[in-house]
Amino acid sequence: MFSKNSKEKGIESVLFFISTLTVLILFLICIFLFRDSLLLFKETSLLDFLTGKFWYPTSVNKQFGLLPLLLGSLLVTAGSILFSVPLGIASAIYISELAHPKVADFLKPFIEILAGIPSVVFGFFGLVVLVPFMQKTLNLPTGQTALTGSIMLGIMALPTIITISEDAISSVPSTLRQGSLALGATQWQTIYKVIIPASLSGISAAVMLGIGRAIGETMTLMMVTGNAAIIPSFPGGFFGPVRTMTATIALEMGEVPQGSAHFHALFAVGSVLFIITFIINLIADSIKKKYRFKVG
Amino acid sequence: MTKGVQNVSQVQIKVDNLNLWYGEKQALKNISMQIPKNSVTALIGPSGCGKSTFLRCLNRMNDLVKNCRIEGKISIEEKDIYGPDVDVVDLRKKVGMVFQKPNPFPMSIFDNVAYGPRIHGADRKDLDSIVEQALRSAAIWEETSDRLKSPALSLSGGQQQRLCIARTLAVKPRTILFDEPTSALDPISTARIEDLIMDLKKDYTIVIVTHNMQQAARISDYTGFFLMGKLIEFGQTRQIFQNPQEQSTEDYITGRFG
Ligand SMILES: Nc1ncnc2c1ncn2[C@@H]1O[C@H](COP(=O)(O)OP(=O)(O)OP(=O)(O)O)[C@@H](O)[C@H]1O
Ligand SMILES: [Mg+2]
């Protein structure tokens, strides 16, 4: 009896239906998102939306300029990368190459727990601890700044970066390590001249996914960045409040009249966000594929 | 008791009462031997008898194994390599190693060979000639001279192994350890590497682990037979193969076990 019986076929079709369902849902979300976004352009041109410097959605002279929100998101994300990437990679190297296996086994669950903490809890911690700290130590009018957001986001992106980089580093065959050491290389030379280059694509994928996680984060940022929709300067903008795209949608969606221009503008912001994360994931994915090919 | 080779002109590696444990398990038992300079010494024996373990003692690769403990003495060029003043980096420069599976780094052919000299601080302007010379000595220059910038992983398995030999030669060791260097290769690549090894003994002392009796007989001057962590017999290859002193050696060589 080698032919599939009807029960197996039944299970197979159920699984097929479920897996196509996710594709269908994604497709529907895209349609709704883009359809409502497009309605905005009856009132504002695409160019005005993308290059507008002011987000005044409720004033008499309504303006829906994306720039302050986009730059706010990018600034906070860039800041978070600046410290989460070196820290994450360093931790990954420590865990996979240097730490005693027992120490590594001890650390890993904590990193996973860090990944599982709800963002509102991070936000709460940021608001109560980091915001006053920043205000005092940097002597700022408010501790709710882009930098505060960056630090919180960085902490939140760390687990992603660490776990995926560590995966990439551990999958470098040990024969390469031995080959390098047998040539008289020290452990550090082996790490930075052989191991890291060999796992670079995996590490880059980790970084991209970390960025993806950061740019889509909402709740924490809403709680610690002050939410002022002004175009941040660089690098001074780090020390003042900003408003990200995600926070804007979350803050305003509840109060906006359905079908209004403002309503559609928020959808347009959502579309931009969607496109950005989509591209980032695409890049991460293609890097990951390349890296599997190389190691496998 | 030193099993040995009489009238050796010059000893390169001298092992005295070497014992080695992996945790509780003893993998090498009381091994003593003297490996002559500028010769090829083959180590044979059934799987798990400790050949690789012994080889890894000679460049201290066993240092990487967490619960490995060593007793006894190994001198290379009359220097105790487990002595307190020994720099492992320096030892591994002088005692190179080629592994069973070709393990080129995922970088260009040139960078693979230049890797060792670079980490040991070779002058940038000397690199080209060091690399060329190493590739020539490893008999792979002809095949690679026009593609030094291409990835090492684009070479065939046999070419990769010769590249790994070149990479080892570039560091200018005096002893080279080979752990079954041809077991993953086809017969033609194997023959090329055997020729190469016989050629290299002019300038290097070579110790090679092999499962291939014909290979040991063909290329080695001396042979050591290991069994269950002990060195059963060590002597000139011709003598070991034609007139073994121990029954187990004869049984192994003639294929009656192992
Ligand atoms: N890292 C290690 N930890 C614990 N035991 C080990 C380790 N490496 C080797 N051993 C054990 O030591 C013994 C000798 O192993 P070794 O690899 O030296 O054998 P070998 O003669 O090279 O075998 P083969 O011909 O299969 O390569 C084996 O019983 C093996 O299981
Ligand atoms: Mg072995």
Side-chain angles (χ1 to χ4, degrees):
Chain A
M1 282 296 288
F2 291 106
S3 68
K4 284 183 190 167
N5 59 33
S6 54
K7 196 173 154 204
E8 275 182 37
K9 279 220 178 91
I11 294 173
E12 199 179 293
S13 43
V14 169
L15 291 180
F16 175 76
F17 175 72
I18 293 171
S19 53
T20 37
L21 198 63
T22 48
V23 178
L24 193 72
I25 291 172
L26 180 69
F27 193 65
L28 285 177
I29 290 178
C30 285
I31 290 181
F32 278 103
L33 197 59
F34 290 139
R35 196 199 56 185
D36 274 294
S37 309
L38 286 176
L39 292 176
L40 170 70
F41 304 122
K42 278 200 220 148
E43 318 210 8
T44 320
S45 76
L46 178 63
L47 193 73
D48 282 346
F49 172 64
L50 290 179
T51 60
K53 292 195 180 81
F54 304 99
W55 181 261
Y56 297 149
T58 50
S59 64
V60 189
N61 253 329
K62 289 189 177 58
Q63 293 203 45
F64 302 108
L66 178 69
L67 271 188
L69 314 181
L70 180 67
L71 291 177
S73 278
L74 292 183
L75 186 73
V76 173
T77 305
S80 74
I81 291 162
L82 232 51
F83 95 99
S84 65
V85 167
L87 212 63
I89 295 176
S91 313
I93 291 171
Y94 175 73
I95 289 174
S96 52
E97 293 292 312
L98 303 169
H100 190 280
K102 277 192 190 136
V103 177
D105 283 346
F106 173 78
L107 287 175
K108 279 188 203 169
F110 286 98
I111 294 166
E112 273 148 35
I113 292 171
L114 194 62
I117 295 177
S119 48
V120 67
V121 176
F122 273 111
F124 193 59
F125 168 82
L127 193 60
V128 174
V129 179
L130 193 60
V131 166
F133 176 81
M134 296 293 278
Q135 185 180 7
K136 263 190 225 123
T137 43
L138 297 177
N139 203 9
L140 298 169
T142 168
Q144 294 191 317
T145 62
L147 184 60
T148 318
S150 293
I151 294 173
M152 290 313 298
L153 263 196
I155 296 172
M156 295 171 75
L158 267 181
T160 312
I161 297 178
I162 295 176
T163 351
I164 298 175
S165 309
E166 197 238 307
D167 229 40
I169 293 172
S170 319
S171 66
V172 173
S174 67
T175 52
L176 291 188
R177 263 178 213 98
Q178 293 183 14
S180 168
L181 294 169
L183 288 167
T186 62
Q187 192 177 18
W188 277 111
Q189 288 168 329
T190 303
I191 288 173
Y192 82 77
K193 295 191 113 172
V194 175
I195 312 265
I196 294 184
S199 50
L200 200 59
S201 34
I203 293 175
S204 332
V207 170
M208 290 315 283
L209 290 173
I211 295 175
R213 169 100 170 80
I215 208 154
E217 179 48 46
T218 311
M219 187 53 93
T220 311
L221 292 181
M222 222 158 75
M223 293 167 80
V224 303
T225 56
N227 302 315
I230 32 178
I231 291 188
S233 62
F234 185 85
F238 273 120
F239 303 104
V242 286
R243 172 186 281 215
T244 63
M245 295 188 285
T246 48
T248 305
I249 299 173
L251 283 168
E252 297 173 10
M253 203 44 127
E255 290 147 24
V256 65
Q258 272 220 12
S260 67
H262 186 188
F263 180 82
H264 295 135
L266 291 179
F267 269 89
V269 173
S271 298
V272 170
L273 201 57
F274 177 82
I275 291 169
I276 293 176
T277 41
F278 184 74
I279 291 172
I280 289 172
N281 275 309
L282 224 57
I283 296 173
D285 227 45
S286 72
I287 297 173
K288 255 202 307 202
K289 272 201 198 102
K290 242 196 253 157
Y291 132 84
R292 264 199 223 110
F293 170 75
K294 208 160 138 191
V295 171
Chain B
M1 170 188 61
T2 298
K3 293 200 178 65
V5 176
Q6 309 303 316
N7 308 322
V8 173
S9 51
Q10 242 183 320
V11 176
Q12 176 77 357
I13 303 171
K14 187 164 180 295
V15 182
D16 288 310
N17 293 315
L18 178 69
N19 286 286
L20 181 146
W21 290 263
Y22 289 122
E24 291 298 300
K25 185 175 174 294
Q26 185 164 13
L28 295 177
K29 294 173 186 159
N30 226 14
I31 292 180
S32 297
M33 62 155 73
Q34 298 187 2
I35 295 174
K37 206 177 164 90
N38 290 353
S39 65
V40 177
T41 299
L43 306 179
I44 58 171
S47 190
C49 67
K51 307 177 297 288
S52 300
T53 299
F54 176 75
L55 206 64
R56 286 200 304 265
C57 288
L58 302 180
N59 64 346
R60 291 189 54 170
M61 286 299 271
N62 279 329
D63 289 15
L64 306 174
V65 181
K66 285 253 149 58
N67 57 355
C68 172
R69 188 162 61 83
I70 291 176
E71 270 173 20
K73 192 173 165 194
I74 301 177
S75 306
I76 296 183
E77 294 174 349
E78 296 181 343
K79 190 165 177 192
D80 179 3
I81 63 166
Y82 284 90
D85 59 332
V86 170
D87 177 10
V88 181
V89 165
D90 204 47
L91 170 72
R92 292 186 186 145
K93 263 167 77 178
K94 290 187 188 128
V95 184
M97 185 170 225
V98 176
F99 296 81
Q100 177 169 5
K101 247 184 81 192
N103 58 347
F105 303 130
M107 41 179 101
S108 73
I109 293 170
F110 183 94
D111 288 339
N112 261 276
V113 183
Y115 181 83
R118 274 186 182 136
I119 57 176
H120 297 306
D123 229 318
R124 194 182 267 269
K125 63 180 177 1
D126 299 335
L127 276 181
D128 284 347
S129 70
I130 294 175
V131 169
E132 176 175 345
Q133 211 197 340
L135 288 168
R136 278 188 194 284
S137 308
I140 191 177
W141 174 250
E142 311 290 308
E143 290 142 273
T144 54
S145 57
D146 58 343
R147 48 188 288 208
L148 292 174
K149 290 273 169 288
S150 31
L153 293 170
S154 68
L155 296 169
S156 76
Q159 289 172 328
Q160 288 185 13
Q161 192 64 309
R162 274 179 283 140
L163 177 69
C164 290
I165 296 174
R167 186 174 74 180
T168 304
L169 296 180
V171 182
K172 300 194 164 55
R174 292 199 282 270
T175 305
I176 307 176
L177 313 172
F178 289 88
D179 194 350
E180 302 185 43
T182 61
S183 65
L185 303 182
D186 64 280
I188 294 173
S189 304
T190 299
R192 295 201 64 164
I193 288 184
E194 288 183 4
D195 288 344
L196 175 59
I197 288 174
M198 286 189 280
D199 194 44
L200 288 175
K201 81 174 176 191
K202 289 199 305 282
D203 306 308
Y204 306 90
T205 304
I206 288 165
V207 185
I208 175 172
V209 170
T210 177
H211 274 282
N212 180 333
M213 290 308 107
Q214 286 82 24
Q215 184 169 70
R218 260 195 312 266
I219 68 174
S220 70
D221 306 299
Y222 302 94
T223 296
F225 172 60
F226 282 74
L227 187 60
M228 293 182 359
K230 289 191 194 134
L231 177 64
I232 303 294
E233 196 166 347
F234 181 63
Q236 298 211 337
T237 298
R238 192 179 315 142
Q239 182 238 312
I240 296 276
F241 275 82
Q242 288 170 1
N243 186 20
Q245 302 298 301
E246 303 284 334
Q247 186 60 42
S248 53
T249 312
E250 185 173 345
D251 288 350
Y252 182 73
I253 287 170
T254 53
R256 246 168 276 165
F257 77 87

